[in-house]
């Protein structure tokens, strides 16, 4: 078993390299790179998908306070000349390429990027003027708040509900809850978010919950009890929207897993021996049925953290990792794009390994090392 997990750990390295290289090739082939984006911003015809870069941290390289662009030329008149020009001199574009490292061949830039990423050195954002690691760490708390609460609540609801539906299969309870699950499965989480805003955030009916941020502006001046209450008050609607959109598939998976186990021979044998139904359900069936649920945990966590939260962050104005990565892709901010991709991939690979460890914890009879042999 130890040898198997050591081998899986070593396999993370080539897998991570393959994903990074493949995405690097795809991104390099896409039109409209950072230089083109910067030229558009200089000319004043750039469009931001979320209208945030210009207002929140966009780093104008021509601004007098910018340290990034001061290395480009010692002639201060150059800044004034090209900032107002509609046409750009080729020499200026070459200096701009040198500033961002695009004067080097693509393979050299790839090697340098991978070398730096090995030590978690992600460089600075092209358009925000801040270290990527600092930005990721700053936004991480928002995504963690959404992801952890959503994952916890989804599992606390879905597993008991799935077991109850399996035990009461075909009853009125099963049919009524199936209707709720179908609604939750068919309607995306962002639609529920809009519904919650309309009804409970001052849209058309009630003004009970706030619409922006994770905490109030005066959060730091509150005592610890009111800080907790204020945080829970702000996070109620976004987490509710994500839970409603995410519990349906896990509930059905749990129910189907239990129904499949109920029909197996060991359950019939246990009943013939006079074992009580609760003991059969929670001692025998539960351990086997939960293997499928546990297997889907890493994928569910990654989906909730980095996919489902994107539109929720936009709708509720939550400045998290999903929104950061989306804005970086639109503006071709390569350091943020590849930095977040590196972190996401690394987390995903470790979560898959954690899923295998959880397998063995739920059912010690599983031995991956022996199976591989």
């Amino acid at each position: 078993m130890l040898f198997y997990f050591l081998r899986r750990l070593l396999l993370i390295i080539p897998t991570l390299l393959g994903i990074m290289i493949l995405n690097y090739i795809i991104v390099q082939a896409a039109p409209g790179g950072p230089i083109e984006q910067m030229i558009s911003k200089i000319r004043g015809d750039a469009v931001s998908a979320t209208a945030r870069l210009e207002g929140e941290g966009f780093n104008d390289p021509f601004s007098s306070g910018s340290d990034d662009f001061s290395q480009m030329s010692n002639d201060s008149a150059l800044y004034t000349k090209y900032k107002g020009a509609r046409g750009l001199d080729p020499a200026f574009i070459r200096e701009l390429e040198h500033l961002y490292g695009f004067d080097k061949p693509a393979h050299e830039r790839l090697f340098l990027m991978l070398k730096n990423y090995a030590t978690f050195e992600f460089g600075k954002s092209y358009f925000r003027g801040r270290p990527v690691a600092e930005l990721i760490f700053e936004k991480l708390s928002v995504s963690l708040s959404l992801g952890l609460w959503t994952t916890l609540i989804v599992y606390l609801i879905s597993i008991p509900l799935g077991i109850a539906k399996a035990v009461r299969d075909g009853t009125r309870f099963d049919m009524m809850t199936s209707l709720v699950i179908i609604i939750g499965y068919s309607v995306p989480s962002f639609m529920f978010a809009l519904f919650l805003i309309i009804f409970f955030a001052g849209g058309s009916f009630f003004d009970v919950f706030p619409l922006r941020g994770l905490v109030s502006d005066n959060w730091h001046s509150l005592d610890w009890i009111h800080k907790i209450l204020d945080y829970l008050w702000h996070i109620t609607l976004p987490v509710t929207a994500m839970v409603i959109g995410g519990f349906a598939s896990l509930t059905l998976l749990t129910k189907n897993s239990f129904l499949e186990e109920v029909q197996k021979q060991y359950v019939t044998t246990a009943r013939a021996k006079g074992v009580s139904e609760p003991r059969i359900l929670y001692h025998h069936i539960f351990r086997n049925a939960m293997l499928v649920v546990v297997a889907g945990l890493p994928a569910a966590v990654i989906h909730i953290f980095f996919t489902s939260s994107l539109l929720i962050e936009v709708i509720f104005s939550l400045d998290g990792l999903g929104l950061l990565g989306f804005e970086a892709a639109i503006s071709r901010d390569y350091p943020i794009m590849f930095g977040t991709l590196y972190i996401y991939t690394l987390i995903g690979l470790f979560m898959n390994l954690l899923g295998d460890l959880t397998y063995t914890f739920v059912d010690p009879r599983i031995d991956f090392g022996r199976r591989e042999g």
Side-chain angles (χ1 to χ4, degrees), residues 229-244:
L229 294 176
D230 182 79
Y231 166 74
L232 295 176
W233 181 48
H234 280 76
I235 208 172
T236 297
L237 291 189
V239 169
T240 300
M242 294 178 66
V243 167
I244 293 175

Side-chain angles (χ1 to χ4, degrees), residues 170 212 245 273:
R212 296 178 58 88
K273 291 182 178 181

